[in-house]
Amino acid sequence: MGNLNSTAREEDGPPALSKRGAEAAKPAISYLPEMLAAMGDLYDPETNPEGYVVAAAAENKLLYKDILEPKLCEAHRKLSEVAEHELFSPYYGDMRGMPNVRKAVAGLMEELVVKKKKLDPDCLCLTPGVTSAVNMMAFVLGNPGDGVLIPAPYYPAFDNDLHTRTGLVPTPARMEKIKIDQPEDVPGLPVQWRITEASLEKGLAEAKAKGLNVRIFLLTNPENPLGFSHTVEELETVIKFVRKHKMHLISDEIYAGDCHSAREGDATHVSVLDLTEGDDIHVLYGMSKDFGLSGHRMGFIYTENKDAVKSISSLSGFQSVSGPAQAVLYELVSDLDFVRSYVAESNRRLRDACDKVQGHLTSLGIEFYRPTASLFFMIDLRKYLSAPTWDAEMELFQTFFKNKFIITPGKACHFKEPGYYRVCFAAASEEAMALLCNRLSKVLASVQVSNAAASDE
Ligand SMILES: Cc1ncc(COP(=O)(O)O)c(C=O)c1O
């Protein structure tokens, strides 16, 4: 018998991956290698005081220990005590989610996401995370090479979610920045970002000039990376626009319950499904943000498009949520009293954490766009770049990394101009976020302030 380790193709090397397999080997987001390295060496006041503070992942870690963990332990205890078939089937079944779980999820979404409409559990499909839900919808609604119009700035991973496996092409429609009169006591830059009809038509014209056939519009509401809820007027503009141009509207409402601003006049969450319905509207939600359970990998697609439901059902076999995971989810979300008190407490803690980080940044003279919802906001560090370039933005990011903290560079969020960074204020404890601000102030003190940032984004 010959040597099994040698191949007939020794000179050529092993057979290559497919083109799409090779393309998928790229990091899903540009700064992922640094983020994973930092996550493996996290700051801990006792065991790792020199570790990293990671404020680049949109996570809410403020309620896990005292509120979520006991609730999850209770769910797991129940699972271990009751014969499993009473809570979930140990056999094959409906891969898009067990009927009782989909019913409970419909109830959860009526509580936090879609407040004016009764949701039909038969229109719901479970996926392992909203990442998977976005990829699923891209597969079901678009053809390879089709454009997906997205209000920009937008969430870094959408490029990967929409393109990998499905070959769709994300293309931005830049929101307008509108100067506003802002009361003295309100922190942040006096600017509102808005989706307008003109911004959408311009984005579409640019997509067409690139040769793209745009059939899908992807909205994130509340918005990521700026952290605010879109107004009813903006949502109506989007709905009219998608219908005029015969597009599907995917509305990612994963931050629906994170409307933490208590200030009068700040928009709260309204779902597109509160304003309209139809086969062209698809709403996504999940457990990673409002419930801080990103490791549980749990996402939901709500669509009344029966053909889409059929496709998703067939495809669910490739990416379904396991029965035990659904059983734990059921225990959590079917207890609506728990959900209500959890979300109220979550928003109280988010408000507090956000105020504290903003306080540190203000004392360092750093400007930012004030958030009213979600888990992050954008800060303006343009004057600290060595030059007004994307390379300089990445260079400063690398300096932050060397100094043991991570915030998201604006390029990844599709900002138009270098020098903005996204800070996730709930991704670490109050003490860790104070340390991050301290490390940031040391880095900024050591770099030369340039005048390069005179222009506005
Ligand atoms: C807008 C948006 N959609 C989807 C996701 C991914 O969610 P999941 O963890 O459910 O895959 C994120 C995570 O940051 C996000 O910000």
Side-chain angles (χ1 to χ4, degrees), residues 57-58 128-132 134 155 157-158 161 220 222-224 252 254-255 285-289 293-294 297-299 376 422:
V130 172
T131 301
S132 162
V134 171
Y155 163 54
F158 277 156
D161 301 350
T220 304
E223 204 276 345
N224 178 358
D252 179 344
I254 194 169
Y255 297 100
Y285 185 62
M287 298 301 283
S288 289
K289 309 300 170 183
L293 292 174
S294 47
R297 310 310 303 130
M298 201 67 77
F376 34 70
R422 188 188 70 169

Side-chain angles (χ1 to χ4, degrees), residues 34 74 81 97 148 160 179 290 296 330 343 374 377 387 408 418:
E34 287 85 355
E74 193 187 303
E81 282 165 6
V148 181
N160 190 58
K179 291 234 174 325
D290 295 351
H296 281 227
Y330 178 82
V343 169
S374 64
F377 57 94
T408 311

Side-chain angles (χ1 to χ4, degrees), residues 82-89 100:
V82 181
E84 64 181 25
H85 64 271
E86 288 179 24
L87 295 172
F88 65 91
S89 163
N100 62 331

Side-chain angles (χ1 to χ4, degrees), residues 187-324:
L189 291 157
V191 164
Q192 263 173 1
W193 295 71
R194 286 282 171 266
I195 296 175
T196 61
E197 195 187 339
S199 73
L200 298 181
E201 292 292 354
K202 186 160 178 276
L204 181 59
E206 286 165 0
K208 282 186 179 160
K210 289 188 261 179
L212 294 172
N213 175 27
V214 178
R215 291 166 24 86
I216 302 174
F217 188 98
L218 175 53
L219 178 74
T220 304
N221 182 34
E223 204 276 345
N224 178 358
L226 289 150
F228 63 87
S229 299
H230 289 293
T231 61
V232 169
E233 196 188 340
E234 287 177 285
L235 299 178
E236 285 172 350
T237 301
V238 168
I239 293 165
K240 280 190 202 135
F241 174 83
V242 297
R243 292 211 160 128
K244 175 174 161 199
H245 295 287
K246 300 204 168 13
M247 295 176 193
H248 283 279
L249 171 56
I250 304 173
S251 184
D252 179 344
E253 303 185 12
I254 194 169
Y255 297 100
D258 286 331
C259 293
H260 53 77
S261 171
R263 200 169 278 276
E264 215 178 301
D266 285 341
T268 54
H269 182 69
V270 174
S271 172
V272 287
L273 277 177
D274 287 323
L275 304 175
T276 188
E277 57 189 0
D279 282 359
D280 50 353
I281 308 288
H282 319 276
V283 170
L284 313 182
Y285 185 62
M287 298 301 283
S288 289
K289 309 300 170 183
D290 295 351
F291 290 88
L293 292 174
S294 47
H296 281 227
R297 310 310 303 130
M298 201 67 77
F300 317 125
I301 299 171
Y302 186 87
T303 177
E304 291 176 357
N305 184 318
K306 292 205 165 57
D307 292 335
V309 171
K310 271 192 227 154
S311 302
I312 297 166
S313 293
S314 302
L315 292 164
S316 286
F318 299 134
Q319 46 195 78
S320 41
V321 176
S322 77

